[in-house]
Amino acid sequence: MGKRENIRQVQDGREDGIKAKRQTAEDYEKAAMKVSEVSIGANFVLTALKLLAGIVAHSGAMISDAIHSASDVFSTVVVMVGIKLSGKASDKDHPYGHERMECVAAIVLATILAATGIGIGYSAVGKIAGGNYEQLAVPGVLALAAAIISIVVKEGMYQYTKVYARKLDSGALMADAWHHRSDALSSVGALIGIAGARMGFPFLDPAASVVICFFIEKAAYEIFMDAIDKMVDKACGDEVETELRERALAQEGVLGVDLLQTRVFGNKIYVDIEIRVDGSKTLRESHGVAEHVHDAIEQNCPKVKHIMVHVNPAD
């Protein structure tokens, strides 16, 4: 009766753990979608404001900045799709889950960013190379006001999205946060270029677009490389592996850790560990030790989605 009760308690504990993980996944998706909806709304308003200011005030830099903000709207939609797909439960064709769909979304986002930056830079370089600076229109004061508003709003969106990206450990949201920061920085470049053009240096307006291009390409590269690292099973950092090793060693019956391998899978972690156990123990006893290690790590390390524990007999 005692053994049956213990088995039942273990089963109940695992069922509770599964329910908790499912609830956590649902909370993650809701929070990420909320952040993305706020991002889309802010970018839509900014795009309209910048485009209007750029046309009315005759500022190529502000129009370029508006295009950047418009790309933010589309990229956030990509992020939302990626998060939605990554939250799908495991199935026959995807037994390890769909977490990497978030990485795919981040790669698509980086590609969009890079293409946007190249387009802006190409147009600006063409104007500078033309050399007819006296024919370039002097931007109006409305363009200056739009640039200042954009800097304040986009920096605020960066900080807001970054907080949730770290809280949820979302690579796609963090990519979107950096998209906001790149827009804020590009608006700084636009502000400098517009101000310089109004002071009698009209070439500074297209030159600001070149600066915008640089910041966009830098953000695209960083987003792309982070997503690739998560796609190619990169190992966790030393700090995480040390914590996993210590939790395993803390379990009764574990005499040592012979091997510890980790791999990042989207925003989750898979772990393979070989523990050393007294060779005189029965198979059932050794299995029990492995179960304790398995449960201790999964329950105390939320990012660990799955752990495989192998037992080696100690000499």
Side-chain angles (χ1 to χ4, degrees):
M1 189 66 180
K3 288 184 178 179
R4 288 182 181 179
E5 187 64 28
N6 288 338
I7 292 174
R8 183 60 186 169
Q9 289 178 353
V10 171
Q11 291 175 340
D12 288 344
R14 291 197 168 172
E15 288 176 1
D16 290 342
I18 293 172
K19 290 179 181 178
K21 285 189 175 182
R22 187 180 299 118
Q23 185 62 46
T24 299
E26 292 175 356
D27 292 342
Y28 167 85
E29 185 175 318
K30 287 179 181 178
M33 289 299 173
K34 177 185 175 182
V35 174
S36 297
E37 288 167 2
V38 172
S39 177
I40 287 177
N43 280 319
F44 186 81
V45 173
L46 274 178
T47 298
L49 173 64
K50 290 179 183 179
L51 187 60
L52 178 63
I55 294 173
V56 173
H58 307 290
S59 172
M62 186 49 60
I63 292 175
S64 297
D65 213 15
I67 295 172
H68 190 187
S69 292
S71 73
D72 282 356
V73 175
F74 180 67
S75 66
T76 301
V77 172
V78 173
V79 169
M80 293 175 74
V81 172
I83 290 173
K84 191 73 175 177
L85 292 176
S86 69
K88 291 176 61 179
S90 303
D91 53 38
K92 183 179 179 181
D93 293 329
H94 306 89
Y96 293 99
H98 300 77
E99 281 83 0
R100 279 183 175 160
M101 290 305 298
E102 198 173 329
C103 299
V104 174
I107 290 174
V108 172
L109 176 81
T111 304
I112 294 169
L113 261 177
T116 302
I118 290 172
I120 291 173
Y122 180 80
S123 175
V125 170
K127 289 180 180 179
I128 294 173
N132 298 319
Y133 302 134
E134 66 280 355
Q135 296 180 7
L136 295 176
V138 177
V141 69
L142 182 60
L144 278 176
I148 293 172
I149 292 172
S150 176
I151 293 169
V152 174
V153 173
K154 294 303 292 187
E155 181 62 22
M157 289 302 302
Y158 165 72
Q159 297 295 339
Y160 171 72
T161 307
K162 183 180 72 171
V163 167
Y164 275 94
R166 287 180 174 174
K167 181 179 179 180
L168 301 173
D169 192 29
S170 171
L173 274 184
M174 184 58 77
D176 210 27
W178 275 104
H179 207 157
H180 291 311
R181 168 55 69 82
S182 71
D183 207 3
L185 292 174
S186 71
S187 292
V188 171
L191 178 64
I192 295 172
I194 293 167
R198 287 180 57 80
M199 293 172 63
F201 304 97
F203 70 91
L204 286 180
D205 189 60
S209 292
V210 176
V211 175
I212 292 171
C213 171
F214 170 77
F215 283 118
I216 293 175
E217 295 305 319
K218 181 176 182 295
Y221 174 78
E222 291 174 350
I223 292 168
F224 181 81
M225 292 308 300
D226 179 68
I228 290 298
D229 281 344
K230 293 177 179 177
M231 289 285 283
V232 297
D233 291 341
K234 183 180 179 181
C236 297
D238 292 338
E239 184 178 343
V240 174
E241 292 196 350
T242 297
E243 180 186 357
L244 296 174
R245 188 183 301 274
E246 289 177 351
R247 288 201 179 277
L249 291 171
Q251 305 311 306
E252 184 177 355
V254 178
L255 302 180
V257 174
D258 293 332
L259 177 70
L260 175 63
Q261 293 180 323
T262 60
R263 59 190 177 99
V264 178
F265 189 89
N267 66 336
K268 297 295 182 182
I269 299 172
Y270 280 75
V271 181
D272 293 307
I273 187 170
E274 293 185 10
I275 59 172
R276 201 159 55 246
V277 175
D278 186 350
S280 64
K281 286 183 178 292
T282 64
L283 176 59
R284 189 178 300 277
E285 290 172 335
S286 297
H287 179 73
V289 174
E291 287 285 288
H292 287 311
V293 172
H294 176 281
D295 294 343
I297 289 179
E298 275 209 342
Q299 292 171 11
N300 292 285
C301 302
K303 289 188 65 175
V304 174
K305 181 175 182 179
H306 177 72
I307 174 172
M308 178 67 70
V309 184
H310 179 78
V311 178
N312 294 328
D315 294 334

